[in-house]
Amino acid sequence: MHHKVVLIPGDGIGPEVAQAAQAVLSATGLEIEWFEHQAGVAALESGSSEVLPAETIEAVKQHGVALKGPCTTPVGEGFSSVNVALRKGLDLYGAVRPVRNLDGLKTRYSDVDVIVVRENTEGLYAGIENVIKKGIVTSIKLVTEEASRRIARFAFEYAVKRQRSKVTVFHKANIMKKSDGLFIKCAREEHQNFSESIEYEEMIIDAACMRLVQDPTIFDVILCENFYGDLISDLVAGFVGGIGVTPGANFGQKCSVFEAVHGSAPDIAGLNVANPLALIMTGVMMLRYLAEQTGDQDCEQAANQIRDAYSACLAAGERTSDLGGDLTTSQFANAVIKRL
Ligand code: NAI
């Protein structure tokens, strides 16, 4: 079967890890036609006047699936986040970040197997910021019943599909009684439709962070609004080897964009030392999604082959420097390809 995928290399380490992931996916022999489009600083550098060109959005809408590298967002000034705009523009409301220990990679924690489900379109990331007057600013946290119900339903459905048993909602509804209050009210009510198969739990996020660090194995699926989900996914990534090994996906009704949790890592960009595994694993998630969507079992088989290949590399000590190894980005990708 022939698959069409949009590739958005992104900024910083994006092009390096995207090239590595693309090479691994292509080496499986699957017929993937890639459509490369730019976003972020890379779009400006390629002559676009927009950080998120309309043609990039259109390409994802047309083909339905994209593999995306990270995009840089300037801190405290400059243009707004391309990532946030892409998720909002394509209504990619459900972010999924699975975090589990990898075969062949020993870390401080073992038996971690957590899925973070993050509402991806509103909350504090709605980008509603105002200068009231000099020295006073507001940042509005937008929570709607529609988006809160939708992400709760998504989390329960995802949990059922992946044979998980519990969903824990992280919140701060003791302080933000109205916004987080609405979020948990919707989750509670939506859970009524899943109460036979999924256990439901709520936890105030500060205590939840302590519990996570004490023993992450007590969690199964974690449901968060946008901002908390962003923080929690990096936190849990640290349990299993860091953001260099944590994949992710953004799901919508009409299209899905697969991107790793990490950013553009300007400190190591262009040095060919970034770990491409997070984006390779993200590619594996994409293949499983393509298998589900199209029924092409070759995608499922290729996903398993890639997983076995990178696990064998890790077990043999073939790693990039963030995991204590000495392979470059491209050497690691080649090592995976050799074991396919
Ligand atoms: P970051 O994730 O880019 O980097 C944090 C640390 O992790 C750095 O020390 C970096 O070298 C390291 N790191 C990240 N990915 C790595 C990899 N694959 N292999 C080895 N080491 C890796 O986060 P930071 O520094 O907070 O953000 C940098 C830029 O990335 C910002 O402009 C930010 O807005 C953007 N960003 C973009 C995201 C996206 O496109 N989805 C997500 C997160 C940040």
Side-chain angles (χ1 to χ4, degrees):
M1 205 179 267
H2 184 87
H3 301 281
K4 296 181 178 182
V5 175
V6 176
L7 181 72
I8 305 172
D11 300 321
I13 60 170
E16 300 159 57
V17 293
Q19 194 182 26
Q22 188 187 17
V24 170
L25 292 180
S26 298
T28 60
L30 286 173
E31 251 191 75
I32 301 178
E33 189 178 353
W34 299 93
F35 298 86
E36 189 169 323
H37 288 273
Q38 302 301 330
V41 178
L44 299 179
E45 285 171 356
S46 69
S48 166
S49 57
E50 304 283 337
V51 279
L52 183 56
E55 65 185 40
T56 301
I57 293 265
E58 280 314 308
V60 183
K61 279 187 182 160
Q62 186 188 343
H63 301 299
V65 186
L67 184 66
K68 175 185 167 295
C71 292
T72 297
T73 309
V75 175
E77 57 181 16
F79 58 82
S80 312
S81 167
V82 174
N83 307 306
V84 172
L86 188 75
R87 292 166 196 161
K88 277 162 65 176
L90 293 167
D91 200 20
L92 302 168
Y93 65 91
V96 172
R97 279 117 180 244
V99 175
R100 61 180 71 95
N101 285 107
L102 293 166
D103 290 342
L105 186 67
K106 199 171 162 356
T107 57
R108 191 188 296 254
Y109 294 85
S110 50
D111 301 322
V112 178
D113 186 1
V114 171
I115 299 175
V116 179
V117 174
R118 163 186 174 189
E119 202 292 319
N120 229 3
T121 61
E122 52 182 40
L124 272 178
Y125 288 8
I128 312 169
E129 291 197 308
N130 294 297
V131 178
I132 304 300
K133 63 176 196 181
K134 194 168 180 298
I136 303 179
V137 297
T138 57
S139 203
I140 291 173
K141 175 161 169 164
L142 173 73
V143 179
T144 65
E145 178 170 349
E146 190 186 348
S148 303
R149 285 196 184 283
R150 179 166 76 161
I151 194 64
R153 246 184 342 262
F154 175 89
F156 293 127
E157 280 165 3
Y158 199 85
V160 169
K161 202 156 66 173
R162 304 282 150 179
Q163 287 148 4
R164 312 299 291 227
S165 55
K166 183 171 73 171
V167 172
T168 307
V169 184
F170 285 10
H171 67 90
K172 195 73 189 172
N174 50 331
I175 306 294
M176 281 167 274
K177 295 177 194 294
K178 293 211 162 38
S179 53
D180 281 17
L182 177 59
F183 191 81
I184 56 171
K185 175 177 176 286
C186 292
R188 248 177 237 165
E189 288 175 7
E190 290 299 322
H191 176 249
Q192 298 306 311
N193 301 318
F194 298 86
S195 54
E196 305 239 307
S197 46
I198 302 291
E199 189 189 334
Y200 176 78
E201 183 178 53
E202 291 167 4
M203 220 176 265
I204 295 178
I205 191 159
D206 38 358
C209 286
M210 182 199 66
R211 300 289 295 278
L212 259 178
V213 174
Q214 282 177 329
D215 183 6
T217 65
I218 62 173
F219 295 96
D220 188 353
V221 176
I222 297 171
L223 169 61
C224 297
E225 59 87 88
N226 207 342
F227 178 48
Y228 307 151
D230 194 5
L231 306 188
I232 293 295
S233 30
D234 274 37
L235 174 72
V236 294
F239 297 150
V240 300
I243 46 184
V245 298
T246 310
N250 304 296
F251 294 105
Q253 290 295 352
K254 297 196 177 128
C255 46
S256 300
V257 174
F258 292 79
E259 67 177 338
V261 168
H262 66 73
S264 57
D267 51 336
I268 54 168
L271 302 178
N272 193 27
V273 297
N275 192 348
L277 185 49
L279 200 61
I280 293 171
M281 293 168 73
T282 299
V284 167
M285 281 179 86
M286 185 183 81
L287 293 184
R288 297 200 197 285
Y289 171 78
L290 287 174
E292 252 173 45
Q293 294 292 305
T294 64
D296 183 359
Q297 284 316 301
D298 289 349
C299 286
E300 188 66 35
Q301 211 181 331
N304 291 338
Q305 279 171 351
I306 297 173
R307 186 203 51 207
D308 292 347
Y310 69 64
S311 300
C313 288
L314 294 176
E318 295 167 357
R319 302 167 186 186
T320 45
S321 58
D322 57 315
L323 302 179
D326 57 6
L327 297 192
T328 63
T329 309
S330 44
Q331 283 170 341
F332 182 76
N334 288 335
V336 174
I337 290 169
K338 216 184 268 178
R339 290 178 184 273
L340 280 174

